[in-house]
Amino acid sequence: FETLKKTARTFSYRGGTGIDITILRPRNTKVRNAAKRSSGAVSFLPLISEVTNSIGQEGRRGALLASIDIRHPDAMRFIWCKSKPEEIFGKDFLTGKVPDVYGANISLKVTDAFMQAVADDAEWELVHEKIPDAAAFQGFYQRTDGKWVYRKVRAKDLWNQIMASTYDHAEPGVLFMSKINRDNNLSYVENIESTNPCGEQPLPDYGCCDLGSINLCKFVRDPFGLAPWFDFDAFAANTALSIRMLDNVLDLTVWPLAEQHREAQNKRRVGLGFTGLGDALIMMKLKYNSQEGRDMAARISEVMRNAAYDASVD
């Protein structure tokens, strides 16, 4: 609920959030209250979704990505929470309505180990740090790392469930977390658990997506002419200016939360990309699927990378 409060505050500033619910205890786990058993991590998704839908942002609603780890015992319920809401949530006992999660995008977090288990057609442990209720689970046991194995499933069956739901309903998405953290050039100081609302940029806790893009078509000289060429010098200069601009945004932003401000100041994370690659190649009379086209795309990317890093160092 503290997370929901921070989420609502972020939405009110026209921001979006990614929320990972893996930390929440699984369904039918022991709890010390009148309920005796937890309703599970997935049961909180309609509440998060409603907060997202309720905060107005000048004609639109908030943006949210909810994720859960593929090792979580509630992973299967998460897969079907949007396409089979009545089966997962039941009907509200007061209104008779079925809760929904349409205010959020949803994605499963998978690892290299899981994908290998799928390839090997091996069993996969569904685990959590909270002990399950013995009346609800048989055969559970504790691993040497202290976590509890609720049950084992065939990894390929779990993967096929994801694919079936995605094929029929376009969700859930898949976040390859091993790859995300391996490619993160700040991995020595952080571990990434989620992404921004559209799965566009993996981010650490309270990280922001301060993003910009450069239109490559603006740097094609003599387009469609006898000898069109790409002005790399002008492109590099524009890249440096864009990095400076994005860095200024971090200082000029009025942050919804102090934690977001602190994260931005500590790491000064910005994201600069480009758009119009296909059009730019056409203007230079290069085929998109040719080796010449790929070589040009690689050179453009390298020039942007180097110019961006140089500007960041400055």
Side-chain angles (χ1 to χ4, degrees), residues 121-225:
D121 196 11
E123 287 191 320
W124 183 249
E125 293 180 338
L126 300 179
V127 304
H128 204 268
E129 62 184 26
K130 301 296 185 182
I131 185 171
D133 189 325
F137 294 92
Q138 286 77 45
F140 64 89
Y141 59 93
Q142 192 172 24
R143 302 192 312 195
T144 55
D145 63 0
K147 292 186 177 181
W148 294 89
V149 178
Y150 281 54
R151 60 185 179 276
K152 293 182 178 180
V153 297
R154 186 176 172 227
K156 188 171 289 187
D157 288 342
L158 195 54
W159 180 250
N160 287 339
Q161 291 289 319
I162 297 172
M163 293 301 101
S165 180
T166 301
Y167 185 86
D168 291 337
H169 306 283
E171 282 191 287
V174 170
L175 301 174
F176 294 100
M177 298 309 295
S178 298
K179 177 69 170 173
I180 284 172
N181 279 292
R182 190 162 55 243
D183 283 356
N184 178 21
N185 57 10
L186 288 175
S187 60
Y188 61 95
V189 292
E190 67 185 22
N191 185 59
I192 291 177
E193 296 286 358
S194 190
T195 75
N196 72 349
C198 303
E200 171 189 46
Q201 183 182 356
L203 292 165
D205 292 349
Y206 301 107
C208 78
C209 50
D210 180 10
L211 308 179
S213 62
I214 296 176
N215 182 1
L216 297 181
C217 299
K218 299 290 186 180
F219 303 95
V220 177
R221 307 302 181 228
D222 190 25
F224 306 108

Side-chain angles (χ1 to χ4, degrees), residues 69-90:
D69 196 287
I70 195 67
R71 293 166 290 195
H72 197 286
D74 288 354
M76 190 73 77
R77 295 175 62 80
F78 185 91
I79 292 169
W80 295 105
C81 69
K82 292 185 76 171
S83 51
K84 299 179 180 180
E86 185 168 0
E87 180 180 323
I88 301 302
F89 302 116

Side-chain angles (χ1 to χ4, degrees), residues 222-249:
D222 190 25
F224 306 108
L226 294 177
W229 55 285
F230 193 84
D231 191 339
F232 284 102
D233 290 338
F235 176 59
N238 192 271
T239 294
L241 182 64
S242 298
I243 288 292
R244 177 73 266 178
M245 183 267 299
L246 291 174
D247 189 75
N248 286 342
V249 169

Side-chain angles (χ1 to χ4, degrees), residues 20-26 40-42 44 48 72 74 128 130:
D20 182 56
I21 65 170
T22 302
I23 194 173
L24 297 178
R25 67 181 70 221
V42 178
F44 288 89
I48 300 172
H72 197 286
D74 288 354
H128 204 268
K130 301 296 185 182

